[in-house]
Amino acid sequence: MRTLPETISRVLRWGVLTACAICLVGGGIYLILHGSEPAPDYITFHGQQPEYTTVGGIFGGFFRFSAYGLIQVGVITLLLTPILRVVLSLIDFINQRDWLYAAITAFVLAVIFVNSVASPVG
C-alpha cells in the first residue's frame, strides 16, 4: 500500500506527463494543419476563437480532436496538477492530525479557489 506522499509524487509526475502528451498531440495536429501558413501578423491582436473561451467549448474541441482544444486541455491539466497536490496534502495533514499545516494548506487552497473564481476588477 502506498503512502499519501508517494501518491502525491505520482500525481505530480503523471499530471505533468499527461499534460505534456496532450499538448504534444495538439501541437502536432496544429503543425500538420497550419504549419505551411505564412507567419501571423504580430502587430495586430486577434484574440482567441470564441468557441474556445468557455470550459464547454474547450472540452468540446478536445473530444473533436481540435488542435486548439487539445492544447488548452493540456494547459488546464498542467494547471490543475499542483492544485490536486494541495488537496492531497490537506488530506494527508488531516490524517496525521497536524492541524497547523492543515490550516495553512486549507488557507492556500482557499486563496487558489478565490483567485480562480473571482472576476477581475475594472
Side-chain angles (χ1 to χ4, degrees):
M1 182 173 204
R2 287 189 194 114
T3 64
L4 200 48
E6 289 172 343
T7 302
I8 291 170
S9 70
R10 289 178 189 264
V11 164
L12 289 172
R13 185 177 309 120
W14 284 106
V16 170
L17 289 174
T18 302
C20 289
I22 293 170
C23 285
L24 187 64
V25 170
I29 291 171
Y30 183 83
L31 286 176
I32 289 168
L33 296 176
H34 303 286
S36 62
E37 293 177 0
D41 175 20
Y42 291 112
I43 295 172
T44 307
F45 178 74
H46 297 287
Q48 183 59 267
Q49 297 174 2
E51 71 249 27
Y52 296 110
T53 58
T54 64
V55 175
I58 291 170
F59 281 100
F62 174 79
F63 290 117
R64 288 190 314 272
F65 290 103
S66 158
Y68 288 117
L70 285 164
I71 293 169
Q72 288 188 344
V73 167
V75 171
I76 289 171
T77 303
L78 189 62
L79 291 172
L80 290 178
T81 299
I83 295 171
L84 183 56
R85 182 223 189 276
V86 173
V87 169
L88 291 173
S89 295
L90 178 61
I91 293 168
D92 188 34
F93 291 137
I94 290 172
N95 285 339
Q96 294 176 14
R97 299 188 195 293
D98 191 343
W99 305 120
L100 176 63
Y101 282 105
I104 292 169
T105 306
F107 177 75
V108 168
L109 194 59
V111 168
I112 291 170
F113 178 75
V114 168
N115 284 322
S116 297
V117 298
S119 61
V121 178

